[in-house]
């Protein structure tokens, strides 16, 4: 497995060279992460808090750790001090908990709000109504220790490219719409995280600024 060569070939396909590549390192050994680090990767994505806790102390301090999986509220405190970006904030309750843990350590924790754009029930995220309700809630303006950086969404797992494209377009439209709204100081629409190994090229064509790629870099997952 030549991780450096895989990275180079993935990067060559990018439609947008400024798009941030988050290397999804879940289930991968430290040696693989070190290899990707040596090849220039600084953004790593993990989807389990326990795995993130085990890996973080063993690797260089300049790594930007992304929590990309579904995050349970009782696990937030373990990653609050060092996590670079939490991608999957899918409820107001979770956002409040992140704010609470940020307050304890006096840190503004960067997050993305996850929108439910897929037709599958298995995907998490806000729908438009829930998002609007949260933005209108007086409690929302009290969030002093989160920094909302943008939106994240996962398309339906399907061969139908038109459907994937439509779902990404919907998320991009919402992202642009929010930019024109009056938002609190802690909420900026800077990052649009969409696209994984199977659909990152479509995502980039539809305006993604951050993609999460695992198997195309590290090979199939070890379970």
């Amino acid at each position: 497995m030549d991780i450096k060569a895989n990275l180079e070939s993935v990067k060559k396909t990018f439609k947008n060279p400024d798009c941030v590549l988050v290397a999804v390192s879940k289930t991968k050994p430290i040696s693989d992460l070190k290899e990707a680090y040596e090849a220039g990767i600084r953004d790593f994505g993990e989807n389990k808090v326990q795995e993130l806790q085990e890996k973080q102390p063993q690797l260089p301090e300049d790594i930007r750790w992304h929590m990309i999986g579904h995050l349970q509220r009782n696990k937030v405190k373990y990653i609050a001090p060092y996590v670079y970006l939490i991608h999957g904030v899918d409820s107001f309750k979770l956002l409040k908990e992140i704010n609470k843990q940020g307050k304890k350590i006096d840190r503004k924790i960067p997050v993305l709000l996850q929108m439910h754009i897929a037709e599958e029930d298995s995907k998490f995220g806000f729908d438009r109504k829930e998002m609007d309700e949260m933005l209108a809630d007086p409690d929302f303006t009290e969030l002093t220790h989160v920094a909302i950086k943008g939106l994240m969404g996962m398309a339906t797992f399907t061969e139908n490219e038109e459907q994937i494209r439509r779902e990404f377009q919907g998320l991009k439209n919402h992202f642009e719409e929010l930019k024109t709204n009056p938002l609190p100081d802690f909420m900026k629409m800077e990052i649009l995280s969409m696209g994984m190994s199977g659909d990152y090229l479509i995502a980039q064509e539809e305006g993604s600024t951050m993609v999460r790629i695992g198997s195309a870099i590290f090979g199939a997952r070890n379970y």
Side-chain angles (χ1 to χ4, degrees), residues 61-190:
E61 282 185 8
D62 63 338
I63 283 178
R64 296 182 286 265
W65 292 102
H66 296 248
M67 177 65 199
I68 60 171
H70 180 61
L71 180 58
Q72 291 167 303
R73 296 204 301 278
N74 62 349
K75 300 276 178 72
V76 173
K77 57 179 176 281
Y78 300 117
I79 59 170
Y82 61 82
V83 69
Y84 177 74
L85 187 62
I86 297 173
H87 285 230
V89 177
D90 56 5
S91 73
F92 196 9
K93 279 182 179 172
L94 176 57
L95 194 58
K96 284 176 179 170
E97 180 61 29
I98 295 167
N99 185 68
K100 180 179 146 189
Q101 296 303 330
K103 208 169 190 173
K104 281 184 187 173
I105 56 172
D106 196 25
R107 179 179 183 228
K108 282 195 171 200
I109 300 172
V111 304
L112 299 176
L113 300 178
Q114 181 173 357
M115 300 298 299
H116 187 284
I117 60 171
E119 286 183 9
E120 300 158 32
D121 291 337
S122 60
K123 299 273 195 292
F124 297 100
F126 290 93
D127 60 30
R128 291 290 288 261
K129 184 170 173 284
E130 289 166 337
M131 174 74 88
D132 291 343
E133 282 170 1
M134 179 177 77
L135 295 181
D137 192 314
D139 287 353
F140 184 70
T141 57
E142 303 297 309
L143 300 173
T144 51
H145 285 79
V146 293
I148 298 169
K149 300 283 192 182
L151 302 181
M152 184 274 254
M154 294 160 76
T156 304
F157 186 68
T158 173
E159 297 289 312
N160 184 341
E161 283 192 14
E162 278 175 34
Q163 184 182 345
I164 294 168
R165 197 175 291 281
R166 193 169 61 243
E167 290 169 358
F168 286 151
Q169 280 169 355
L171 185 59
K172 172 73 157 99
N173 291 342
H174 192 198
F175 178 76
E176 292 299 335
E177 197 181 299
L178 282 170
K179 274 187 186 176
T180 65
N181 287 7
L183 300 171
D185 290 345
F186 60 83
M187 185 173 181
K188 304 264 192 293
M189 288 296 113
E190 298 168 345

Side-chain angles (χ1 to χ4, degrees), residues 50-69:
Q50 191 183 345
E51 201 174 336
L52 186 45
Q53 280 183 281
E54 285 165 12
K55 288 174 175 176
Q56 188 261 343
Q58 300 183 61
L59 287 151
E61 282 185 8
D62 63 338
I63 283 178
R64 296 182 286 265
W65 292 102
H66 296 248
M67 177 65 199
I68 60 171

